[in-house]
Amino acid sequence: MRLISFANALLVIAALFFLVFERDALFAFAGRGNSEEDSAANTETTDGSTLDQKAIGVVALRSTAREIDSAVLLRGQTKANRQVEVLAETTSTVVSEPKRKGTFVEAGDLLCELDPGTRPASLAEAEAARLEAESRIPEAEARLEEAHALVAEAQINLTAAQKLSETGFGSETRRISSEAAMRSAEAGVKTAEAGLEATRAGIEAAIAEVKAAQREIDRQTIEAPFKGLLESDTAELGSLMQPGSLCATVIQLDPIKLVGFVPEVDVNKVIVGSEASARLVTGLEVAGRVTFLSRSADETTRTFEVEITVPNQDLTIRDGQTADIRIAAEGAKAHLLPQSALTLNNEGQVGVRTVGAGNIVDFMPIRLLRDTAEGVWIDGLPETTDVIVVGQEFVTQGVMVKPTYREAAQ
């Protein structure tokens, strides 16, 4: 009994092997064994060829390639057009009531007001120092004019002393004394000029002190840098702010950006300015244009960042939502077939089985372009092809079939 069971198992294994892995050879062997009666039973088809009445019946679809846009499909997310953390630049306590997150703000709106402290007094002191420095200008200019007058006087005395010395009516001592007076007067001019420059420098320093004091006054009011909404509460009343302390976070959602990453095989299809659309996880359909395409690939994923700007006037699109992005690209021809028409050959290639010349089955590998509710768009087939859509799993390449054709809409 054990020997018989073992023999049966071997027979079953052999049958399964030929049926699964050598199906084509098995069918070919069976076809060669047909009797003359089977051959005589052939009937003529509508196109004049003969068809075996025992051929396998299938349903085929005569597909013609159509023009579609080879859009680039991405998975991305929404991102705020702007987002900034508004920080304090000075040390003081908050004296304004806080604004709550979600509040809309315009550019220049007050976010946090700080206690001025002694800043107004420092500004008044700097203003007084500036006025005092400016008041010294007339005095310095008068000293410079006086020095120039002394130089002119010394020049006259020196000229007279030289002429008298040359004619013998003046002493050499007087001439030398006049020359010394001339050099002293010239030194006085330089001193007066230096004093005037120092006075002007003092004015510039005083003006800088005024500006610094005014800047400190301005820092006590922290304003919104642009139109947006608060993502966080502003600093609480009475809290101590130091340089770098957070006052509020402001984001701008109109317009909003869609950010995705394009594979390097599709990056040349994307052009800045191209139309794009997206479907959010909420079901909302939005449209915009490509405004940025990275020139540098991510080192890990070898993809290129792309940004699409989308209007968001009613702020229905939130920051960080997942989106299926579709970027328009140049069109191409493809076939629209039912997804059920796809099959695999013995090598594991994805393709379709077609009806060739003489109603002989052929296998054609394909490339999947897009999956839609109406079917799948595929590439790799001739312009017009008879694709088997029912019964393709029961036939193999080289087998004769009896096709029944149906319309594409069926």
Side-chain angles (χ1 to χ4, degrees):
M1 293 296 293
R2 291 182 179 178
L3 182 60
I4 294 174
S5 300
F6 183 72
N8 290 337
L10 289 178
L11 290 175
V12 171
I13 292 173
L16 290 175
F17 173 80
F18 281 104
L19 184 60
V20 175
F21 296 99
E22 300 293 337
R23 183 168 55 178
D24 295 344
L26 184 63
F27 285 162
F29 175 77
R32 286 195 298 269
N34 289 342
S35 62
E36 293 182 0
E37 291 79 4
D38 293 337
S39 300
N42 290 345
T43 58
E44 187 174 351
T45 62
T46 58
D47 59 359
S49 62
T50 60
L51 178 65
D52 193 344
Q53 289 184 340
K54 290 188 177 181
I56 300 175
V58 295
V59 178
L61 173 66
R62 181 155 293 171
S63 175
T64 302
R66 289 182 279 174
E67 187 81 16
I68 65 166
D69 63 289
S70 54
V72 179
L73 304 179
L74 309 172
R75 174 62 66 91
Q77 66 177 14
T78 59
K79 185 178 180 181
N81 188 46
R82 289 179 179 178
Q83 179 168 339
V84 63
E85 294 181 343
V86 185
L87 308 178
E89 298 180 77
T90 188
T91 302
S92 189
T93 56
V94 179
V95 295
S96 60
E97 290 291 335
K99 296 181 182 294
R100 298 307 176 187
K101 54 186 175 183
T103 303
F104 292 94
V105 294
E106 297 285 343
D109 283 357
L110 178 66
L111 299 179
C112 298
E113 184 176 2
L114 307 182
D115 182 12
T118 60
R119 292 176 181 82
S122 299
L123 177 59
E125 182 180 357
E127 286 284 359
R130 180 182 63 83
L131 293 174
E132 182 182 358
E134 290 177 349
S135 66
R136 294 173 182 171
I137 285 289
E139 181 182 356
E141 291 177 345
R143 289 177 180 175
L144 180 59
E145 291 178 0
E146 182 182 0
H148 281 295
L150 292 176
V151 169
E153 182 182 357
Q155 182 64 48
I156 293 172
N157 293 334
L158 177 59
T159 302
Q162 288 176 342
K163 288 183 178 180
L164 291 174
S165 178
E166 291 173 358
T167 58
F169 293 100
S171 64
E172 187 69 16
T173 303
R174 182 179 178 182
R175 184 184 64 81
I176 295 174
S177 177
S178 298
E179 290 177 352
M182 181 63 184
R183 288 192 293 270
S184 177
E186 290 175 347
V189 170
K190 292 182 179 179
T191 301
E193 289 176 346
L196 181 59
E197 291 299 324
T199 302
R200 289 174 177 170
I203 293 175
E204 294 295 329
I207 292 174
E209 289 291 335
V210 171
K211 290 181 179 179
Q214 184 61 55
R215 180 58 181 157
E216 273 297 309
I217 293 289
D218 296 338
R219 286 173 177 169
Q220 73 184 42
T221 56
I222 304 175
E223 300 174 347
F226 51 80
K227 179 182 178 180
L229 58 89
L230 296 179
E231 188 66 8
S232 65
D233 294 341
T234 60
E236 188 59 58
L237 176 66
S239 58
L240 177 63
M241 304 292 285
Q242 295 179 346
S245 298
L246 178 64
C247 168
T249 301
V250 184
I251 63 174
Q252 186 182 71
L253 298 179
D254 181 28
I256 198 168
K257 294 185 290 187
L258 303 176
V259 181
F261 291 87
V262 183
E264 55 184 336
V265 295
D266 295 329
V267 68
N268 288 337
K269 298 180 181 179
V270 180
I271 302 174
V272 174
S274 299
E275 294 183 355
S277 61
R279 182 181 179 89
L280 306 183
V281 292
T282 59
L284 180 64
E285 300 279 351
V286 296
R289 290 188 177 274
V290 177
T291 54
F292 171 76
L293 178 62
S294 174
R295 291 285 178 178
S296 176
D298 184 271
E299 294 183 358
T300 304
T301 62
R302 311 306 304 168
T303 56
F304 296 81
E305 183 180 5
V306 60
E307 291 183 359
I308 301 160
T309 301
V310 175
N312 188 28
Q313 296 178 353
D314 53 1
L315 303 183
T316 54
I317 308 174
R318 303 175 183 273
D319 182 26
Q321 288 184 287
T322 303
D324 292 322
I325 304 172
R326 183 174 178 270
I327 303 175
E330 187 177 353
K333 283 194 173 183
H335 292 263
L336 177 63
L337 298 175
Q339 191 173 20
S340 59
L342 304 184
T343 185
L344 298 174
N345 64 0
N346 292 337
E347 287 74 31
Q349 287 181 300
V350 179
V352 294
R353 289 193 171 93
T354 61
V355 180
N359 292 331
I360 302 300
V361 175
D362 191 13
F363 178 85
M364 292 187 177
I366 56 92
R367 182 168 64 95
L368 184 63
L369 298 179
R370 191 184 308 164
D371 188 1
T372 65
E374 294 78 17
V376 290
W377 289 94
I378 62 174
D379 188 19
L381 301 180
E383 184 77 16
T384 302
T385 309
D386 294 339
V387 181
I388 301 176
V389 294
V390 177
Q392 70 273 16
E393 299 295 343
F394 302 102
V395 295
T396 58
Q397 187 172 1
V399 174
M400 181 176 292
V401 294
K402 182 180 180 180
T404 300
Y405 291 90
R406 76 176 191 188
E407 297 295 331
Q410 294 181 341

